[in-house]
């Protein structure tokens, strides 16, 4: 045995003994690697890149003490099992959307996007300053995990449809892909709703398993190629007026990190949330230009009859959670509704009138 391997052996033994006797966190002995499973396909623009960037940010900010390795959808676990992988410890971290897990607690839907709910600005105000994060923590505590916002799409597109929608009658029986509470709204409007992960939607459209689908907006949707099947693209989404992604960490693994690494994980998520928001905002209009000019996509606004019925259905869906028997989900809905009542006074007295005025009068 040469000197180096003896030294290595001695250090390893010393480290193990140290950990056993003084219970020092494993990190103090050297570097560690976390596995991040995601719900996104490999090299997926916007949201998937956000997961990659988050991993790089944590690795760089920690000086390599905490390296995060990303596994795209299906590499380690199927996309819609990402949270379970973190709960059972197969992975230390996941990147996805909280509403994919609404079957674990209906309150989780509120931490992604809510039909006729908050815009992204309003949403972060609720999560960060009006009690949202605390309730989210309470829900995820039950599963031994902790959630952080990690990205945001802004107001989404309403979806891809083979045929133009003239009114509610065109929705009846339509096989439509959309998750979360928004899925329940479309169901109430008469659609037959399923959720599929990003990488599965195109094929379902192509084979006719789906008639229509919504995913995110032009930037992400262009990458997924939906324009090849359906040419009618509707705006805006009234079920996902703002939509956040999450990074989830295994809570015991997170708590075992020294305070500076915990703060690095938290801050890296916050920075990446901001970065993804700007990425989507910058690239959505560029992608839309490509879709329209190069791929012959036709853009539409939903007819008023659909918008109005959608609003009514949204109030019913949110109301059902508030009036339901799951105490934490009820608490989430009540907090969301009360924060929205406050926040919309600003949006509707300041932001909307400004946008309307700019649209009407300002040319340069
Ligand atoms: Ca969506």
């Amino acid at each position: 045995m040469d000197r180096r391997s003896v030294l290595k052996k001695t250090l390893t033994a010393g480290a193990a003994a140290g950990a056993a006797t003084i219970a020092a966190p494993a990190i103090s002995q050297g570097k560690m690697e976390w596995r991040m499973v995601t719900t996104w396909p490999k090299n997926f623009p916007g949201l998937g890149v956000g997961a990659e960037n988050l991993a790089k940010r944590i690795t760089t900010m920690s000086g390599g003490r905490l390296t995060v390795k990303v596994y795209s959808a299906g590499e380690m676990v199927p996309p819609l099992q990402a949270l379970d992988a973190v709960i059972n410890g197969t992975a230390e971290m996941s990147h996805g959307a909280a509403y994919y897990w609404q079957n674990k607690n209906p309150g989780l839907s509120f931490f992604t996007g809510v039909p006729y709910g908050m815009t992204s600005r309003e949403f972060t105000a609720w999560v960060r300053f009006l009690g949202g994060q605390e309730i989210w923590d309470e829900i995820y505590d039950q599963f031994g995990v902790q959630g952080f916002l990690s990205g945001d799409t802004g107001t989404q597109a309403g979806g891809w449809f083979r045929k133009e929608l003239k009114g509610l009658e065109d929705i009846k029986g339509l096989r439509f892909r959309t998750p979360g509470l928004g899925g329940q709204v479309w169901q109430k409007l008469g659609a037959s709703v399923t959720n599929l992960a990003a990488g599965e939607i195109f094929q379902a459209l192509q084979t006719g398993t789906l008639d229509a689908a919504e995913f995110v907006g032009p930037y992400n949707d262009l990458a997924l190629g939906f324009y090849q099947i359906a040419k009618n693209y509707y705006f805006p989404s009234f079920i996902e007026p703002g939509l956040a992604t999450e990074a989830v960490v295994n809570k015991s693994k997170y708590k075992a990190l020294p305070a500076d690494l915990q703060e690095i994980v938290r801050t890296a998520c916050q920075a990446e949330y901001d970065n993804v928001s700007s990425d989507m905002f910058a690239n959505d209009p560029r992608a839309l230009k490509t879709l329209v000019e190069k791929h012959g996509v036709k853009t539409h606004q939903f007819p008023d009859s659909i918008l109005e019925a959608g609003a009514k259905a949204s109030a019913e869906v949110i109301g059902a959670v508030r009036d339901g028997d799951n105490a934490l989900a009820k608490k989430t809905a009540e907090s969301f509704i009360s924060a929205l009542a406050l926040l919309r006074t600003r949006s509707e007295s300041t932001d909307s009138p400004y946008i309307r005025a700019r649209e009407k009068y300002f040319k340069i």
Side-chain angles (χ1 to χ4, degrees):
M1 194 177 277
D2 67 23
R3 189 175 165 274
R4 264 185 21 208
S5 43
V6 171
L7 185 64
K8 193 175 165 202
K9 202 174 171 195
T10 312
L11 283 175
T12 311
T21 52
I22 59 167
I27 189 68
S28 69
Q29 313 304 336
K31 297 174 176 184
M32 64 165 60
E33 183 175 287
W34 274 14
R35 295 156 294 187
M36 181 204 279
V37 290
T38 80
T39 60
W40 322 117
K42 216 172 181 56
N43 303 319
F44 190 48
L47 305 180
V49 170
E52 297 279 348
N53 286 344
L54 176 59
K56 282 183 206 149
R57 250 180 227 283
I58 294 171
T59 304
T60 307
M61 287 169 79
S62 69
R65 289 156 67 207
L66 178 57
T67 301
V68 180
K69 184 168 164 39
V70 180
Y71 294 86
S72 54
E75 275 191 323
M76 188 190 286
V77 293
L80 299 183
Q81 286 172 29
L83 181 67
D84 283 330
V86 180
I87 293 171
N88 67 32
T90 309
E92 288 75 23
M93 190 168 190
S94 68
H95 197 285
Y99 67 3
Y100 288 158
W101 331 120
Q102 65 175 347
N103 290 342
K104 292 197 190 295
N105 187 301
L108 287 173
S109 285
F110 288 79
F111 299 98
T112 305
V114 175
Y116 268 97
M118 294 180 187
T119 61
S120 305
R121 269 282 153 104
E122 294 166 339
F123 175 73
T124 48
W126 172 56
V127 170
R128 292 174 181 162
F129 290 97
L130 298 173
Q133 182 76 50
E134 289 76 7
I135 300 175
W136 195 16
D137 291 349
E138 222 177 316
I139 296 176
Y140 268 161
D141 263 348
Q142 299 177 303
F143 305 101
V145 296
Q146 159 89 49
F148 300 100
L149 300 181
S150 66
D152 197 294
T153 66
T155 306
Q156 295 202 349
W160 296 85
F161 298 83
R162 282 189 169 84
K163 291 181 194 154
E164 239 181 276
L165 302 175
K166 302 281 188 200
L168 284 166
E169 60 287 356
D170 293 328
I171 296 177
K172 301 276 174 272
L174 193 83
R175 290 164 303 169
F176 187 47
R177 180 271 176 198
T178 186
L181 296 175
Q184 295 175 34
V185 168
W186 276 90
Q187 196 102 26
K188 276 181 181 283
L189 296 181
S192 164
V193 170
T194 49
N195 181 27
L196 293 172
E200 299 164 350
I201 304 169
F202 181 83
Q203 203 191 357
L205 273 175
Q206 196 177 35
T207 57
T209 310
L210 285 176
D211 299 313
E214 69 79 32
F215 185 60
V216 174
Y219 185 32
N220 272 162
D221 293 359
L222 170 64
L224 291 175
F226 304 146
Y227 63 87
Q228 294 168 48
I229 316 288
K231 295 284 186 196
N232 295 293
Y233 198 16
Y234 277 76
F235 290 86
S237 169
F238 53 85
I239 54 159
E240 291 174 348
L243 184 132
T245 62
E246 63 171 11
V248 175
V249 295
N250 181 293
K251 200 158 187 180
S252 61
K253 303 269 174 64
Y254 179 68
K255 291 287 177 199
L257 295 175
D260 64 335
L261 287 187
Q262 287 185 29
E263 183 58 19
I264 282 170
V265 170
R266 197 189 66 77
T267 308
C269 287
Q270 192 163 325
E272 200 47 42
Y273 173 91
D274 179 64
N275 198 53
V276 170
S277 307
S278 306
D279 185 20
M280 305 294 291
F281 224 84
N283 282 296
D284 270 340
R286 290 174 167 167
L288 185 60
K289 202 168 149 62
T290 304
L291 286 165
V292 171
E293 291 174 8
K294 195 170 160 204
H295 300 300
V297 166
K298 278 197 262 177
T299 63
H300 308 269
Q301 305 268 311
F302 285 113
D304 278 350
S305 60
I306 292 179
L307 290 176
E308 195 177 353
K312 183 169 173 279
S314 299
E316 287 168 9
V317 164
I318 298 168
V321 181
R322 180 197 52 202
D323 304 332
D325 50 16
N326 185 304
L328 275 178
K330 186 180 174 64
K331 189 174 171 182
T332 313
E334 282 169 350
S335 170
F336 184 93
I337 291 166
S338 115
L340 177 59
L342 171 72
L343 295 166
R344 70 187 292 178
T345 61
R346 184 200 193 281
S347 305
E348 291 168 15
S349 67
T350 307
D351 301 302
S352 324
Y354 167 65
I355 296 282
R356 279 200 301 272
R358 186 175 65 184
E359 194 178 339
K360 197 168 171 188
Y361 301 117
F362 184 68
K363 302 275 182 285
I364 193 164

